[in-house]
């Protein structure tokens, strides 16, 4: 089943120095259950694409459909409710609420999504190896641990689409592998579709599809079968 479809999506910025074509005519479809890795050099448009996919930002041209509806744009309330209903997002610079504990950060997102479940919240924190830190505040744990809280939080609400921007960027290789394995399992169990931006080609092993982007355009799109590396 198709989850989403972008056709000819552009995101241009008018700047004093001229037009910046952050996305310049992007078209693709993603089916339910796919795990997509998005690769591309710095400045190629990866974060811009995630922001358009999540309706944090509005394309300046093209169409974007999610499930059977058009995704709202240029209307912050409708965009916010689209995100609440459908999207989990681990940002490039993760943003935990500093005056809530690790556990409370997870419970809050579940509450907003209307499915508060403390047992599951604790289970997810265990999944990312943070069972000992649940009652600490973000300021009292390391950057990599905060990143893992952000990852647990992003799946806690069971989003239809999970987006991650350099989500293992702050983790050492071993932790990164553990977290990715846990994430893949959680996504399979909950039927969560994912798109992860990374510079780390090592993450390709966890994906079912690799999309490469450069200068705001898709330059390759490869579906992987389970036996090949790419
Ligand atoms: N608000 C803005 N105004 C003007 N140009 C912008 C704006 N935001 C992003 N850009 C430009 O759009 C292009 C794509 O930016 P984007 O953040 O999507 O890149 P990226 O692929 O995520 O890079 P990185 O790997 O460094 O995070 C860049 O050239 C960037 O300078
Ligand atoms: Mg980026």
């Amino acid at each position: 089943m198709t989850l989403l479809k972008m056709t000819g999506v552009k995101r241009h910025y008018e700047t004093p120095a001229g037009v910046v074509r952050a996305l310049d005519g992007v078209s693709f479809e993603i089916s339910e259950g796919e795990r997509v890795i998005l690769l591309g050099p710095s400045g190629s448009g990866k974060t811009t694409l995630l922001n358009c996919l999540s309706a944090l930002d509005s394309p300046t041209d093209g169409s974007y459909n999610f499930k059977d509806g058009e995704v709202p744009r240029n209307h912050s309330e409708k965009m916010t409710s689209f995100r609440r209903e459908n999207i989990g997002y681990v940002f490039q610079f993760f943003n935990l609420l500093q005056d809530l504990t690790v556990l409370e950060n997870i419970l809050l997102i579940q509450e907003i999504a209307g499915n508060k479940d403390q047992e599951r919240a604790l289970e997810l924190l265990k999944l990312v190896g943070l069972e000992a830190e649940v009652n600490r505040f973000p300021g009292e744990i390391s950057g990599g641990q905060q990143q893992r809280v952000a990852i647990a939080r992003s799946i806690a609400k069971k989003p239809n689409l999970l987006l991650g921007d350099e989500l293992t960027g702050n983790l050492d290789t071993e932790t990164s592998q553990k977290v990715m394995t846990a994430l893949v399992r959680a996504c399979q169990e909950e039927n969560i579709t994912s798109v992860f931006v990374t510079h780390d080609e090592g993450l390709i092993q966890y994906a079912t599809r690799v999309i490469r982007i450069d200068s705001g355009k898709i330059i390759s799109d490869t579906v992987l079968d389970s036996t090949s590396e790419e």
Side-chain angles (χ1 to χ4, degrees):
M1 268 257 286
T2 300
L3 178 67
L4 65 90
K5 182 175 182 176
M6 279 190 163
T7 311
V9 165
K10 296 184 182 173
R11 177 56 168 107
H12 290 180
Y13 293 100
E14 309 283 345
T15 74
V19 179
V20 176
R21 295 178 165 81
L23 291 178
D24 202 21
V26 164
S27 303
F28 59 87
E29 252 181 77
I30 296 179
S31 300
E32 280 178 12
E34 284 195 282
R35 293 190 304 280
V36 179
I37 294 277
L38 184 61
L39 293 166
S42 182
S44 56
K46 303 180 300 295
T47 297
T48 308
L49 182 54
L50 289 193
N51 290 346
C52 287
L53 282 169
S54 63
L56 266 177
D57 192 7
S58 299
T60 44
D61 198 5
S63 74
Y64 176 24
N65 282 72
F66 194 95
K67 294 193 160 177
D68 286 322
E70 215 168 292
V71 175
R73 62 177 75 168
N74 301 316
H75 188 299
S76 66
E77 275 165 42
K78 287 182 185 166
M79 290 160 77
T80 301
S81 58
F82 169 80
R83 281 198 304 281
R84 280 200 182 141
E85 242 169 75
N86 296 296
I87 306 293
Y89 197 153
V90 185
F91 292 93
Q92 193 162 12
F93 308 101
F94 39 89
N95 44 0
L96 302 174
L97 293 172
Q98 296 297 317
D99 51 357
L100 296 183
T101 65
V102 164
L103 178 61
E104 288 164 350
N105 262 281
I106 312 263
L107 294 174
L108 176 67
I109 208 85
Q110 290 179 324
E111 205 170 328
I112 291 170
N115 57 6
K116 196 167 170 186
D117 180 347
Q118 173 148 343
E119 205 174 311
R120 179 173 154 79
L122 289 167
E123 200 179 287
L124 288 169
L125 286 167
K126 197 170 166 201
L127 208 64
V128 295
L130 289 179
E131 57 269 56
E133 284 81 12
V134 293
N135 294 318
R136 294 218 222 145
F137 292 90
E140 302 169 345
I141 58 178
S142 74
Q145 289 170 331
Q146 291 184 52
Q147 181 74 329
R148 283 183 274 157
V149 177
I151 290 168
R153 186 179 61 171
S154 71
I155 37 179
K157 64 183 253 191
K158 304 187 185 179
N160 289 309
L161 178 63
L162 175 62
L163 303 172
D165 205 345
E166 293 292 352
L167 86 174
T168 56
N170 295 288
L171 307 179
D172 59 81
T173 311
E174 195 189 331
T175 309
S176 160
Q177 282 168 353
K178 276 191 197 147
V179 166
M180 283 307 295
T181 306
L183 259 181
V184 167
R185 181 154 29 99
C187 286
Q188 284 170 334
E189 280 169 7
E190 313 281 2
N191 193 31
I192 296 171
T193 307
S194 61
V195 179
F196 295 154
V197 162
T198 184
H199 287 104
D200 179 3
E201 306 246 344
L203 293 194
I204 290 176
Q205 62 177 302
Y206 301 100
T208 61
R209 177 172 170 191
V210 178
I211 297 178
R212 290 178 196 269
I213 179 172
D214 200 359
S215 306
K217 292 190 161 86
I218 290 178
I219 53 166
S220 75
D221 185 346
T222 313
V223 175
L224 311 176
D225 63 56
S226 48
T227 52
S228 74
E229 290 284 310
E230 191 184 1

